[in-house]
Amino acid sequence: MKTKNIFLKCSAVFLLIVASCSNEPEIDNATMLDGDQIFDASLYNLENYLVSKAIDNPSTNQKNTPVVIAVHGYSASTFEWDEFRNYSDLNATILISQVLLGGHGRTYESFKNSTWQDWQEPIMTEYNALKTKGYTNINFAGSSTACALMLDLIKTNKIADNGMKHIFLIDPIVIPSDKSLTLIGLVGPMLGYFESTNTTTEDKYYYRFKPQETLKELLNLTNKVRKDLQEGFNLPQNTQLKVYKSTKDDVADAVSAVLLYKGLKNNDGSKIAIQMIDSKLHVVTRLDGRDTITEKDREIQKQVFDNMILMLSQ
């Protein structure tokens, strides 16, 4: 979620923006994900994205091969995990299910009318489909809001004992960097939506316009996960989790990693693994489409991918 000045810091700014914005955005249907043109191929070519759809009758070898359910963040699409799939195709023997969150990848109205429970549902749908087909080595990789959705599934015991072998959380959002998200209930109805600063490429794979209704859902989700972590809970048995968190991130505050470290434990009560990354990017596992990328960014991404692949092989 890449958003510039999405929230307002003072009442004077509120009034200026209210005066200049309508409650409905002007959407370019030909170039924006928000429009009625479908850019996310997972909506019409499921077999290229979901392992459960790609393999009708998995062999014993396929059932034992690591399957990664890779899930994007709020306002994004399956594009967010393309680079991991491409890298894995060249460097690993794993299967990847790129899951599109509910309400995402479709029109602005579909996104606007979705709840965080809707976002979460396709994760469980693919997980259950893989379990039904007999896959024994199911894993999860999530970025940003997908991490919060997975944490809720763990807390509510929907991912039961021995459910997933490895869980990778990339820049999990528990505490937003922009604390004025808490004001969305006040200013959201006045504005209707907030506009992101996307590149031309990002416009096809990330919503430019964020309906205030979905930001309320995001706030509800992160508040729930924060409270769950403050109470504390454990991972399922035989599940290992690792967090990769950028030290400077304009979307997910680094405090999110602290809350995870304090509130989430392995099944035996030991500490989870957290790696702080010297990066200013939110979700360094996705570099394509950004304005400026450095060699350092590419090296960090490679290190994260290599580490994930190594852990999947164990």
Side-chain angles (χ1 to χ4, degrees), residues 71 81 89 91 97 99 112 147 151 170 195 214 257 277 286 292 306:
V71 189
W81 283 99
D89 286 347
N91 298 280
S97 285
V99 169
K112 177 180 178 179
C147 304
L151 290 168
I170 313 296
E195 184 174 358
T214 62
I277 298 172
R286 192 278 296 185
T292 304
D306 284 343

Side-chain angles (χ1 to χ4, degrees), residues 221-288:
L221 171 63
T222 54
N223 281 344
K224 181 182 186 302
V225 172
R226 175 178 53 79
K227 291 176 182 177
D228 289 341
L229 288 170
Q230 289 172 341
E231 294 176 2
F233 58 99
N234 289 5
L235 291 168
Q237 187 176 2
N238 298 323
T239 295
Q240 299 297 314
L241 180 145
K242 184 166 184 180
V243 175
Y244 302 87
K245 183 71 191 73
S246 293
T247 54
K248 296 180 180 179
D249 180 342
D250 64 359
V251 175
D253 195 306
V255 175
S256 298
V258 176
L259 289 178
L260 277 162
Y261 188 73
K262 291 182 176 180
L264 180 62
K265 300 290 190 298
N266 291 315
N267 190 260
D268 62 4
S270 61
K271 299 291 187 181
I272 62 171
I274 293 185
Q275 180 178 339
M276 299 304 293
I277 298 172
D278 182 19
S279 173
K280 296 180 181 179
L281 297 181
H282 180 61
V283 185
V284 72
T285 44
R286 192 278 296 185
L287 301 180
D288 288 351

Side-chain angles (χ1 to χ4, degrees), residues 142-204:
S143 49
S144 194
T145 300
C147 304
L149 295 171
M150 174 52 61
L151 290 168
D152 176 73
L153 291 175
I154 295 169
K155 170 64 176 178
T156 55
N157 294 317
K158 293 178 182 177
I159 301 297
D161 285 353
N162 303 308
M164 287 188 176
K165 188 172 181 180
H166 293 286
I167 295 175
F168 305 102
L169 304 184
I170 313 296
D171 286 330
I173 182 169
V174 180
I175 302 294
S177 292
D178 191 335
K179 304 306 182 291
S180 50
L181 176 60
T182 57
L183 298 177
I184 191 62
L186 173 65
V187 302
M190 292 188 291
L191 300 180
Y193 67 91
F194 299 88
E195 184 174 358
S196 299
T197 303
N198 290 348
T199 66
T200 300
T201 298
E202 287 173 332
D203 263 348
K204 295 180 180 180

Side-chain angles (χ1 to χ4, degrees), residues 50-53 58 67 69 97 99 120-136 138-140 150 153 157-164:
L50 301 180
V51 173
S52 65
K53 301 294 185 182
V67 182
I69 299 175
S97 285
V99 169
Q120 187 183 65
E121 185 176 355
I123 302 173
M124 283 304 301
T125 298
E126 180 63 5
Y127 170 78
N128 289 331
L130 293 170
K131 294 285 284 187
T132 298
K133 288 197 169 186
Y135 287 93
T136 63
I138 304 175
N139 307 269
F140 178 87
M150 174 52 61
L153 291 175
N157 294 317
K158 293 178 182 177
I159 301 297
D161 285 353
N162 303 308
M164 287 188 176

